Amino acid sequence: MMAKGVLVDLTRCIGCRGCQVACKQWNERKGLVTSFHGDFTSPVKLNSDTYTRIRFVESDEEKGPVWSFVKEQCMHCQSPACVSACPVGALNKAENGPVTYDFDKCIGCRYCMVACPFDIPKYEWNSWAPWVRKCSFCSERITDGMEPACVKTCPTKAMFYGDRDKVVDEAKRRIADAPDRYVNHIYGLDEVGGTSWMYISGVSFESLGFKMGLPTEKLPDYTWAPLSTIPFKVAGFFALLGGVAYLRNRGTQEDNVKEDKR
Amino acid sequence: MSMQTQNKQPFLSAGTLLLLLVVGLFAVVAIYRLIFGIGATTNLTDDVPWGLWVAADIMVGVALAAGGFTIAATVYILNLQQYKSLARPAVLTAFVGYVIVALGVFFDVGKPFSLWHPIFMWQPHSIMFEVVWCVVIYTTVLALEFAPSFLEGIGKESLAKAMRAKSVVIPLVIMAVTLSFLHQSSLGALFLLMKGKLSHLWWSTMLPYNFFLSAVAVGLAMTSFETIVAGRIFRHPVSMKILQGLARGTALALACYAVVRLGDIIVKGNLGLAFAGTRGSMLFLLEIGLGVLLPMVMLFVLSKGGKRDENSILFAQMLVIGGVILNRVDIVYLSQKVEGVTYTPSWMEFALTAGLVAIILVLFRAAMLYLPILKHAELE
Ligand code: SF4
Ligand code: SF4
Ligand code: SF4
């Protein structure tokens, strides 16, 4: 199956939070009691019961203040740091796009949380046997040919779902067709080597609080460099240390206590 | 062969009783943690998923135990016999240290009873997977290196003799050094994935080498610290030559570390960050100034002098230890600042960490008193 992707067109989102509700329903996550905390974003952060949320951002543009509604969820990176981090292979990048999680394998080291450039994986801190929780790209749904729950529910079609190549083409087309409407950046096209979920926006991604200045390299390449050379290091160390040990110990006693036995 | 240390003292001293009290508190916290889970025990949150336990029990623990392989390499590979008296205490420290690090990991992972998974569920693209394997194998190697002391202690002299043979010890030490290089550096490599999240005062592709070199330095510093302190507790005067040799070794390792770490920061044009006046820059200056440069100069000077200045050496080596502890804590959480988030470990986190340290000290004391660890110590 082709790798799927989603384009979130921030100019189309009206902040209804239908996706937030649909996601909770599909994934059977409980609702949380929240309180007003100074802006309309709720909850304050993604958490183990909330895989996606809409962040409300008011930014000052030339034409005056603009409200933007930013959907947050796992980006389903093309080369996910979380997958490469996991020591037991509990996280996996499926061929059709989703980065999925297997609780039975997980040991709870939380390296995936540390490694994720977008701080997406959340932990069930209140549990005795905690899960790592995050958006699954509705893996079962899309494997069965359906759209993700949040995409399906969106009343303004702010999300465009399809093969990732087509999603990228669509993003480029929208920006080219209306260069005044969009900033010329597809967020997620190159960030950390590309992500399955991408964004286009009418105001700068920086002012919307997106993580800027992320490397465009695939993050796992950084750790694969030392890992892939281990056989050579082992061979080198064995040869070097063996050689030195031989030269330095020639003709000395075999039992290394005898020499200074009292 | 007589296996007694010269100054046999009773196992229970006032200090030991205090340590056992800390171990008792540890046991209570440990049980609480196993029953109620990691979230109930710690102040960790989604913003700070790694805290005191990862920093202290694992990162610092492994670094401080590095004396085990540096001293073993000095004595058995370089065959520098003058340091022989250090070998058994250093191997003992490392062995006890790694066992306790494993215990610390057990309490830190969210699902302690799944800790065996990496042995069967392979994921060779993960640095963490490699670290787990290296630590498991190295702890086994340490057990074998430690075997002669133990076997002599229980009177199995012929078996001990077999385990002391150079043809057994040297291959073990070669494995020890190789495995140590791999996992000491990999503990740094863990953070390579954090590009963009860690400040460039810490993040660098040189992270693995920074970790390894600082581990070599702090391993020697710990050996020195331990030799002096144990010498006082067990009334076992220490040879100044040995302390000066260790001082020279620590200073050299610090110099290599400083060149690699600072050189890299300067070459990449990030030195300005050090003087930005932020919390991170302060921590960095503290780490480098007090933890690296000052003790490096002190130790170079002290390793030359003719007079016996044990206290200054002790002080300088403690600076090194403090510097590396700060470095690991900085990288794991202290230098990272998430807006609106403060993390102070809970009292139970502190208690568990203190308990692990206490267990190490108690086991160390028991081994020093009942096993032939110090018997080759030279008297000045
Ligand atoms: S956004 Fe984070 S959690 Fe999601 S795939 Fe990328 S690295 Fe993994
Ligand atoms: S917490 Fe679980 S899923 Fe995350 S890296 Fe560790 S073992 Fe893998
Ligand atoms: S793809 Fe599925 S799991 Fe992810 S945010 Fe949408 S509804 Fe939630």
Side-chain angles (χ1 to χ4, degrees):
Chain A
M1 198 202 250
M2 284 286 291
K4 300 292 179 187
V6 173
L7 176 68
V8 185
D9 187 337
L10 296 178
T11 65
R12 293 197 184 190
C13 178
I14 53 170
C16 74
R17 292 192 272 224
C19 52
Q20 240 176 275
V21 176
C23 177
K24 285 231 178 206
Q25 269 180 353
W26 177 255
N27 293 295
E28 295 175 334
R29 300 281 80 206
K30 65 174 187 289
L32 304 171
V33 181
T34 54
S35 58
F36 193 68
H37 58 91
D39 75 45
F40 296 105
T41 311
S42 179
V44 188
K45 281 169 178 157
L46 291 181
N47 54 52
S48 56
D49 283 306
T50 313
Y51 301 168
T52 187
R53 64 166 194 166
I54 297 293
R55 204 153 43 78
F56 289 62
V57 189
E58 192 182 0
S59 49
D60 285 320
E61 298 297 312
E62 276 167 41
K63 50 196 168 187
V66 177
W67 276 104
S68 304
F69 314 106
V70 182
K71 184 173 184 297
E72 291 180 351
Q73 76 294 308
C74 174
M75 300 289 283
H76 299 278
C77 308
Q78 302 277 85
S79 302
C82 60
V83 171
S84 81
C86 181
V88 289
L91 291 161
N92 243 306
K93 174 81 177 171
E95 225 169 89
N96 62 339
V99 172
T100 57
Y101 169 72
D102 181 350
F103 172 73
D104 291 335
K105 285 188 175 172
C106 176
I107 60 173
C109 68
R110 315 180 300 285
Y111 186 24
C112 51
M113 305 175 68
V114 173
C116 171
F118 302 102
D119 297 321
I120 291 300
K122 303 297 176 200
Y123 209 49
E124 290 183 331
W125 295 103
N126 294 327
S127 162
W128 177 76
W131 287 56
V132 171
R133 296 281 189 181
K134 70 171 194 67
C135 153
S136 63
F137 202 165
C138 287
S139 170
E140 292 98 337
R141 287 178 62 97
I142 72 170
T143 305
D144 287 346
M146 289 182 277
E147 296 178 312
C150 55
V151 173
K152 173 105 182 160
T153 209
C154 180
T156 61
K157 293 204 164 41
M159 283 169 276
F160 176 87
Y161 164 80
D163 294 343
R164 187 175 186 270
D165 308 349
K166 302 236 172 63
V167 167
V168 173
D169 291 344
E170 176 69 14
K172 287 183 177 154
R173 192 187 61 73
R174 287 191 196 176
I175 294 177
D177 284 356
D180 303 339
R181 195 177 152 88
Y182 296 102
V183 292
N184 190 13
H185 182 77
I186 303 171
Y187 191 92
L189 184 61
D190 299 317
E191 276 76 7
V192 293
T195 56
S196 299
W197 282 62
M198 287 161 283
Y199 293 78
I200 52 176
S201 164
V203 293
S204 81
F205 286 102
E206 190 154 20
S207 65
L208 293 181
F210 277 73
K211 298 228 170 178
M212 302 312 287
L214 288 174
T216 52
E217 303 96 6
K218 301 169 177 167
L219 289 171
D221 287 353
Y222 284 108
T223 43
W224 185 237
L227 282 173
S228 57
T229 48
I230 286 178
F232 306 106
K233 290 179 206 159
V234 171
F237 266 84
F238 276 18
L240 182 76
L241 295 168
V244 173
Y246 173 73
L247 292 175
R248 298 284 311 172
N249 287 277
R250 258 181 320 181
T252 55
Q253 301 208 36
E254 171 65 8
D255 182 337
N256 61 45
V257 156
K258 248 190 224 152
E259 291 159 51
D260 57 3
K261 210 187 242 175
R262 266 191 285 268
Chain B
M1 197 203 256
S2 151
M3 299 301 163
Q4 304 293 313
T5 50
Q6 296 104 325
N7 300 296
K8 194 80 183 182
Q9 40 177 287
F11 177 70
L12 283 183
S13 63
T16 316
L17 276 175
L18 192 72
L19 288 176
L20 288 175
L21 222 65
V22 179
V23 175
L25 182 64
F26 159 88
V28 176
V29 171
I31 292 169
Y32 183 91
R33 186 257 168 268
L34 290 180
I35 295 177
F36 295 100
I38 188 172
T41 317
T42 66
N43 279 349
L44 297 174
T45 58
D46 285 334
D47 296 307
V48 189
W50 280 1
L52 180 71
W53 290 352
V54 172
D57 309 355
I58 304 173
M59 299 289 168
V60 171
V62 170
L64 296 192
F69 82 90
T70 46
I71 299 295
T74 309
V75 174
Y76 299 112
I77 293 186
L78 295 178
N79 202 13
L80 296 176
Q81 290 296 320
Q82 62 269 38
Y83 296 108
K84 191 159 191 177
S85 62
L86 299 176
R88 286 193 170 188
V91 166
L92 168 68
T93 312
F95 179 52
V96 173
Y98 272 79
V99 170
I100 299 306
V101 164
L103 189 63
V105 174
F106 174 76
F107 290 111
D108 181 74
V109 293
K111 292 165 65 190
F113 299 105
S114 308
L115 192 55
W116 51 273
H117 283 183
I119 306 298
F120 297 102
M121 302 170 189
W122 285 30
Q123 210 288 76
H125 282 258
S126 165
I127 292 271
M128 177 93 68
F129 171 78
E130 185 238 28
V131 172
V132 171
W133 269 94
C134 280
V135 168
V136 169
I137 303 174
Y138 182 44
T139 308
T140 315
V141 169
L142 279 169
L144 295 173
E145 286 184 276
F146 177 66
S149 313
F150 183 73
L151 293 169
E152 286 171 19
I154 59 169
K156 297 257 187 280
E157 175 57 26
S158 56
L159 207 54
K161 185 162 187 271
M163 294 299 292
R164 284 195 312 250
K166 280 189 169 169
S167 50
V168 174
V169 174
I170 290 177
L172 283 176
V173 175
I174 291 177
M175 283 188 73
V177 176
T178 309
L179 289 163
S180 293
F181 171 75
L182 290 179
H183 72 267
Q184 293 282 3
S185 59
S186 287
L187 285 180
L190 281 176
F191 298 94
L192 288 173
L193 288 175
M194 295 184 76
K195 184 169 192 195
K197 289 171 95 177
L198 266 186
S199 154
H200 279 284
L201 291 174
W202 286 275
W203 192 93
S204 157
T205 45
M206 297 307 281
L207 259 173
Y209 302 98
N210 290 340
F211 263 61
F212 176 69
L213 292 172
S214 56
V216 170
V218 83
L220 294 173
M222 268 305 280
T223 307
S224 191
F225 171 81
E226 216 178 273
T227 309
I228 297 173
V229 174
R232 290 182 187 176
I233 293 179
F234 300 101
R235 292 189 211 101
H236 212 284
V238 191
S239 141
M240 199 58 197
K241 277 215 189 69
I242 290 185
L243 290 183
Q244 290 190 322
L246 284 173
R248 204 172 314 123
T250 314
L252 270 173
L254 284 177
C256 296
Y257 174 48
V259 167
V260 171
R261 175 134 185 236
L262 294 176
D264 174 66
I265 289 176
I266 293 168
V267 168
K268 302 216 172 100
N270 291 322
L271 194 61
L273 293 173
F275 303 100
T278 59
R279 187 168 90 142
S281 69
M282 301 295 177
L283 289 169
F284 174 81
L285 291 177
L286 205 63
E287 220 182 80
I288 296 295
L290 282 185
V292 180
L293 299 179
L294 176 65
M296 179 180 85
V297 174
M298 283 182 72
L299 289 169
F300 264 128
V301 173
L302 288 164
S303 69
K304 297 254 158 50
K307 68 175 171 22
R308 193 181 169 94
D309 195 353
E310 206 179 275
N311 283 332
S312 302
I313 291 188
L314 183 64
F315 176 72
Q317 299 285 26
M318 285 169 73
L319 283 180
V320 178
I321 296 167
V324 172
I325 292 177
L326 182 61
N327 173 256
R328 301 306 195 258
V329 179
D330 278 345
I331 290 183
V332 173
Y333 65 85
L334 205 57
S335 75
Q336 303 171 43
K337 202 155 168 56
V338 188
E339 225 175 298
V341 176
T342 48
Y343 160 74
T344 316
S346 69
W347 73 265
M348 286 193 277
E349 287 176 84
F350 281 118
L352 194 117
T353 297
L356 293 173
V357 176
I359 296 177
I360 292 178
L361 293 175
V362 171
L363 290 177
F364 189 81
R365 179 176 174 83
M368 288 297 252
L369 288 177
Y370 300 116
L371 296 176
I373 304 292
L374 280 178
K375 75 171 172 165
H376 318 295
E378 299 163 313
L379 293 163
E380 211 173 26

